[in-house]
Amino acid sequence: MLEKKMIIHCAPTLAGLKTANMFNYKFSSIDTFLNELRDSNDKLNRKGVYVEVLKIKEDRALVYIYRKQRLENDLKKPGVRELLWQYGYQSCEWQHCREQLRKRLKEYDCFPHEIGVFLDYPLLDVIGFIEQGGKNCKCCGVWKVYSNECETQQLFERYRKCTEVYQKVFARGRTLVQLTVAA
């Protein structure tokens, strides 16, 4: 079941088009879920893809799928350090950022606004969302867009098409490992 959810919600990351995705996963047994998580990492880590839990609440987990090297590069992009600093991130090293993000997720019922940085959203859109309070965006898709509308809509279409193709191919028997592009 976890693999199917990963295909539905994370195909662009599995395909190498996007740094990261996340989704909520409802489980009936924490032990079964943790075994599925471990199994997924055993399969995907050698391809540079990692699966982690950012938060567990009752019978739900916030699952984060990411390409570690790309994420480390994203955290070093111009302006990211300054944005994260405003929210208590003392370093842009992945290990520190991961722990601070988990802490911030526990503090809020909704998502902390800087989470877009961890999901490969353009920094200008993350900043625009924060400054505009989520209003006045140019368009909305995977995220709310505040800059480069045409370019981002084309990207959204690539993500949509990728997800559609991955779901069809997975339903026909391709495995998660076969569908994951190596880093």
Side-chain angles (χ1 to χ4, degrees), residues 128-159:
F129 183 89
I130 293 167
E131 290 176 349
Q132 297 293 319
K135 298 177 181 161
N136 306 317
C137 62
K138 293 181 179 182
C139 70
C140 191
V142 177
W143 61 84
K144 290 187 176 184
V145 179
Y146 293 88
S147 64
N148 302 320
E149 180 182 5
C150 292
E151 181 181 308
T152 305
Q153 285 185 337
Q154 291 173 350
L155 188 59
F156 288 165
E157 179 57 23
R158 284 180 65 203
Y159 292 166

Side-chain angles (χ1 to χ4, degrees), residues 5-143:
K5 288 283 191 181
M6 289 167 43
I7 295 294
I8 292 168
H9 297 287
C10 305
T13 297
L14 298 171
L17 300 176
K18 194 169 181 297
T19 299
N21 285 97
M22 69 179 172
F23 60 94
N24 278 304
Y25 183 73
K26 184 175 173 139
F27 54 85
S28 55
S29 161
I30 186 72
D31 292 332
T32 301
F33 167 63
L34 293 176
N35 285 333
E36 286 180 299
L37 192 70
R38 193 173 15 264
D39 184 52
S40 295
N41 273 307
D42 287 345
K43 293 174 183 176
L44 299 178
N45 289 176
R46 62 191 126 147
K47 293 199 173 201
V49 176
Y50 295 80
V51 185
E52 292 189 14
V53 174
L54 293 178
K55 181 178 180 178
I56 292 181
K57 188 173 182 179
E58 297 170 13
D59 62 346
R60 294 191 177 272
L62 182 60
V63 179
Y64 182 59
I65 311 258
Y66 65 97
R67 292 182 169 270
K68 185 178 179 189
Q69 189 59 54
R70 281 185 62 165
L71 181 61
E72 288 174 349
N73 292 338
D74 288 353
L75 292 172
K76 293 175 185 171
K77 287 180 180 176
V80 170
R81 177 184 308 263
E82 293 78 7
L83 175 73
L84 293 178
W85 184 264
Q86 295 174 37
Y87 295 98
Y89 294 79
Q90 301 297 313
S91 163
C92 281
E93 295 301 318
W94 163 235
Q95 295 85 350
H96 171 78
C97 288
R98 175 181 54 205
E99 293 314 310
Q100 180 66 13
L101 180 60
R102 283 185 175 138
K103 180 181 172 190
R104 301 236 333 126
L105 283 163
K106 285 180 184 175
E107 293 172 357
Y108 293 91
D109 286 332
C110 59
F111 294 115
H113 298 318
E114 75 275 8
I115 203 161
V117 169
F118 297 90
L119 295 170
D120 198 16
Y121 300 175
L123 184 60
L124 290 175
D125 291 339
V126 174
I127 292 169
F129 183 89
I130 293 167
E131 290 176 349
Q132 297 293 319
K135 298 177 181 161
N136 306 317
C137 62
K138 293 181 179 182
C139 70
C140 191
V142 177
W143 61 84

